[in-house]
Amino acid sequence: SKPFEPPPLPPHLISTTGSSAMNQSRSAWCRAAVAAAAGAAVLGAAVFAARRAQRRRQGRRGTVASLWTCHGTSQRLSRSAALRGVAGVGVEADRYSLDVAKGRYSGKPEPGRQVTLIAAEGMERVSHEHGLDIGPHNCRRNVVTRGIQLGDLVGHELRIGKDVRVFAHRSAVPCMYLEGLVGQKGLFESLYYDAGLCCEILDGGMISECDIVELVADSYDPGRCETWPCKALFVRGSERSLEQRAEVLAWRKTVEAKAAAPDAPAAAKKGLRLFDQAFGRKDATWDGGRSQW
């Protein structure tokens, strides 16, 4: 950028006499001009910082757009004006609550399945860009939000309404089962990075539509996350590198070995079947990337 150059002197300060008084007037005027420019720069920087902080706050605060529960595997979602979250258990009457345990993946419980969140904006983008029918009514999530950016909140705490506090353990990942259930070809890939958050309920209470959803300040602690050991599964199948595909295949071999053990429980065998269904493995030619279905 160019160095600051003060504007031309006013005519009454221009003189050819070079008098001391005139030179002092010129110096004072220049100092005043420089001070004014510096003050304007400081003010501009302050305004920019304030606007940036406001945008950051807006991305960390939103509202509950709608609330949904489901009583069992493959059953329709039911909308409610309010629902109750039970600390350490889940959403009351929902299939993944530990008191119900009728979800497709209830055989492998994890804290992050106690309540799920998803942003309405992401589903709207997928619907608009890919022509898919995906929305609150069939996304299989509990809390649909609007106005808060969920994508980078893994490892953070969120407050929902007055009482409920949750911790985001991992990003939610869609599965081929969902694509088949709603009959939307291509949904698995299209929704991969907009499928929401899997959260643990730390403080229970009621959640109602239009409640505030906001980030809890200074709550970031990734060491608390109980997530999948295979990080490559959080990368869209079509975008996985050769190394990431090898990582996925290695993890599947681990799951397969557990299922093949002589004393393997039924849950281990079901886990292998669900893995293949979720990530689109049809046969041994699957390379750990894009779904074969």
Side-chain angles (χ1 to χ4, degrees):
S1 59
K2 295 181 179 180
F4 171 73
E5 297 181 0
L9 291 172
H12 68 280
L13 294 182
I14 301 175
S15 172
T16 60
T17 62
S19 67
S20 176
M22 186 63 69
N23 288 337
Q24 291 178 358
S25 297
R26 289 175 177 174
S27 297
W29 184 89
C30 287
R31 287 195 298 271
V34 170
V42 171
L43 178 60
V47 170
F48 175 79
R51 289 177 177 173
R52 183 174 58 185
Q54 182 182 23
R55 288 194 297 269
R56 198 160 49 234
R57 287 194 299 272
Q58 288 173 342
R60 293 297 181 262
R61 182 183 173 94
T63 58
V64 174
S66 57
L67 297 166
W68 303 81
T69 57
C70 178
H71 301 302
T73 301
S74 303
Q75 293 186 18
R76 287 180 175 272
L77 294 175
S78 299
R79 184 172 181 174
S80 302
L83 55 78
R84 181 183 298 278
V86 181
V89 177
V91 175
E92 195 173 78
D94 186 69
R95 66 199 184 285
Y96 282 113
S97 167
L98 296 181
D99 290 339
V100 178
K102 292 183 178 180
R104 185 172 181 80
Y105 302 99
S106 289
K108 296 184 66 177
E110 58 180 89
R113 289 206 180 100
Q114 292 176 13
V115 61
T116 50
L117 284 66
I118 191 170
E121 295 88 345
M123 293 187 289
E124 290 166 357
R125 181 194 63 78
V126 170
S127 179
H128 174 73
E129 293 182 4
H130 301 279
L132 298 171
D133 176 22
I134 183 65
H137 64 291
N138 64 358
C139 66
R140 318 298 289 178
R141 305 290 183 255
N142 300 123
V143 181
V144 178
T145 67
R146 186 172 292 280
I148 182 170
Q149 300 171 9
L150 300 179
D152 59 350
L153 295 185
V154 171
H156 289 273
E157 292 182 7
L158 297 168
R159 187 169 298 281
I160 310 175
K162 295 181 180 179
D163 302 319
V164 176
R165 184 169 58 95
V166 305
F167 178 77
H169 281 273
R170 64 173 176 85
S171 296
V173 172
C175 60
M176 285 301 298
Y177 164 73
L178 173 64
E179 180 174 306
L181 184 66
V182 301
Q184 298 292 308
K185 183 68 174 177
L187 180 64
F188 176 61
E189 284 271 322
S190 302
L191 190 64
Y192 215 87
Y193 298 134
D194 291 295
L197 292 174
C198 292
C199 302
E200 176 185 5
I201 302 176
L202 304 176
D203 295 331
M206 295 301 299
I207 303 174
S208 301
E209 291 188 359
C210 299
D211 273 352
I212 297 296
V213 183
E214 59 185 346
L215 179 70
V216 175
D218 301 320
S219 65
Y220 182 60
D221 186 2
R224 294 166 57 187
C225 294
E226 294 186 33
T227 183
W228 296 340
C230 181
K231 305 306 181 186
L233 290 175
F234 293 104
V235 179
R236 182 185 285 136
S238 60
E239 297 177 355
R240 289 175 195 147
S241 65
L242 290 176
E243 292 78 9
Q244 289 169 333
R245 294 183 184 192
E247 182 183 349
V248 170
L249 292 176
W251 178 248
R252 188 194 176 278
K253 285 185 178 180
T254 300
V255 177
E256 185 178 28
K258 291 181 180 178
D263 56 347
K269 298 177 180 179
K270 180 180 179 181
L272 177 63
R273 185 173 70 255
L274 291 179
F275 179 95
D276 289 347
Q277 292 175 352
F279 296 104
R281 181 188 186 275
K282 190 175 182 180
D283 55 44
T285 63
W286 184 55
D287 66 356
R290 188 185 295 272
S291 167
Q292 291 180 304
W293 296 97

